[in-house]
Amino acid sequence: MVQVTELGYMGIGVKDLDAWRNFASTIVGLEVSDEGERDRCYLRMDYWHHRFVLHANGSDDLEYLGFRVAGGEEFAEMQHQLTEAGIKFRLGSQEEAIERHVLDVLKLNDPSGNPVEIFHGPEVQFNRPFHPGRRMHGRFKTGANGLGHCIIRQEDDKAAYRFYRALGMRGGVEYKINLGKHVVTPTFMHCNDRDHTVAFGVGPSKRRINHVMLEVDNLDDVGFTEELVRQHKISVNIKTGKHSNDHMYSFYFRNPSGWMLEYGWGARAATKQSEYYVRDVYGHEPEDGGFGE
Ligand code: FE
């Protein structure tokens, strides 16, 4: 079975591009890269041309997730695998691949209509070292584990599981959280050493995306970021704490589109066997808005 290897890039639709550029650089530490296109700009985390595209289209939501496969052979094999699984896809044109700064791209939708792209061959700019948008103690942790993880909306967790399984991911339920009236059992899918790359099953929401998590390699950047967030009076949705599944020490705050960014450090590698938890290691108490809608 061919497997996607990482969440390589993500497209985000925004109403206020200037607010996002400022937030991404001065709060998060990402590098804003502007190529003079009026409808978009790019955010960098490492040597890649970009990890995020901010599209000034007003949606304030996820536009697409870009999952990488290893190379041209895997890209061809993936098309066969999707056909076998009865998943519709479209081979992107060369113009569409160039727009994403990749060699080849497939376009499809997951069962809840979240746009998904599968690509190989990202443009990597080794002549252009990452330049953080503000001071950082360390760097973002990407490498073989992709840009981070995200929680997205799914109407049918089993259908979503089958879809992401067909992309070569593994995973399952990792939490049973008792909310009194009902128990929430989110599903976490991984495709590399990151505990999860895509997760779902946290309940209905008005947006496609709940949060994106970015990991740093130095604990002090979590503290530094929290100070900046609080100085700028940005809402903290979830206080610092440590997750039981990925062991991430993190906190969640609101981005200019109203959904959340999780800033984390210290994750462990994905477990090879399934486990579940009924609570986090410590912390992660809800603050303003909690886990969001
Ligand atoms: Fe998370």
Side-chain angles (χ1 to χ4, degrees):
M1 188 180 203
V2 182
Q3 300 177 313
V4 295
T5 58
E6 63 177 286
L7 175 59
Y9 62 77
M10 183 184 285
I12 296 171
V14 307
K15 265 200 195 83
D16 191 338
L17 191 57
D18 285 340
W20 256 99
R21 294 159 66 104
N22 188 47
F23 170 85
S25 57
T26 63
I27 305 296
V28 185
L30 296 166
E31 176 181 352
V32 176
S33 178
D34 200 326
E35 301 198 344
E37 297 159 286
R38 212 183 293 163
D39 66 337
R40 72 191 63 185
C41 74
Y42 303 95
L43 302 177
R44 301 181 82 231
M45 297 173 76
D46 51 22
Y47 282 108
W48 280 38
H49 176 272
H50 67 272
R51 291 293 192 164
F52 293 91
V53 187
L54 301 178
H55 295 273
N57 65 6
S59 75
D60 276 338
D61 204 349
L62 173 70
E63 289 298 316
Y64 48 84
L65 296 172
F67 295 106
R68 184 185 196 178
V69 289
E73 282 185 34
E74 289 79 5
F75 186 77
E77 183 65 24
M78 179 59 81
Q79 294 173 64
H80 181 67
Q81 191 164 301
L82 293 172
T83 304
E84 291 283 296
I87 295 169
K88 288 201 187 76
F89 63 90
R90 181 173 70 76
L91 177 61
S93 66
Q94 266 312 293
E95 288 71 33
E96 287 172 316
I98 288 165
E99 184 190 9
R100 295 288 188 260
H101 293 260
V102 299
L103 290 175
D104 286 300
V105 65
L106 301 178
K107 304 226 176 189
L108 55 158
N109 285 313
D110 80 10
S112 284
N114 300 304
V116 164
E117 300 182 355
I118 298 173
F119 71 96
H120 78 97
E123 181 185 354
V124 182
Q125 301 174 311
F126 284 124
N127 59 319
R128 218 175 147 216
F130 170 65
H131 183 88
R134 47 92 168 149
R135 295 177 197 283
M136 281 184 83
H137 292 280
R139 284 294 181 261
F140 290 103
K141 265 190 109 168
T142 53
N145 295 334
L147 68 86
H149 73 233
C150 58
I151 290 197
I152 56 175
R153 179 178 62 196
Q154 296 293 343
E155 276 126 40
D156 179 343
D157 288 6
K158 289 204 169 67
Y161 175 84
R162 284 194 299 273
F163 176 86
Y164 287 99
R165 189 77 190 92
L167 267 52
M169 292 193 184
R170 285 182 56 85
V173 168
E174 292 183 0
Y175 279 93
K176 291 188 174 193
I177 304 162
N178 191 338
L179 296 179
K181 284 185 186 138
H182 64 293
V183 178
V184 181
T185 55
T187 297
F188 295 81
M189 308 291 293
H190 64 269
C191 55
N192 51 44
D193 275 346
R194 199 178 285 292
D195 175 84
H196 52 286
T197 287
V198 171
F200 44 85
V202 294
S205 75
K206 64 177 182 184
R207 290 191 186 84
R208 289 171 174 161
I209 189 163
N210 171 276
H211 73 268
V212 62
M213 188 287 307
L214 306 182
E215 186 180 6
V216 287
D217 63 9
N218 190 318
L219 171 62
D220 294 337
D221 279 312
V222 179
F224 188 59
T225 305
E226 191 185 355
E227 274 199 357
L228 284 171
V229 163
R230 295 199 182 274
Q231 277 165 14
H232 286 79
K233 309 248 181 294
I234 293 167
S235 288
V236 172
N237 295 73
I238 297 174
K239 292 182 204 286
T240 49
K242 183 168 175 168
H243 285 307
S244 291
N245 60 349
D246 58 6
H247 287 193
M248 193 78 72
Y249 181 79
S250 65
F251 76 113
Y252 296 62
F253 53 101
R254 201 163 296 160
N255 66 46
S257 291
W259 49 279
M260 294 183 290
L261 197 141
E262 178 184 5
Y263 210 92
W265 167 85
R268 68 168 169 172
T271 61
K272 300 297 177 202
Q273 292 159 297
S274 59
E275 296 181 355
Y276 83 97
Y277 326 97
V278 298
R279 54 155 291 165
D280 270 350
V281 185
Y282 52 78
H284 279 151
E285 297 93 352
E287 191 171 311
D288 180 11
F291 209 64
E293 68 296 319

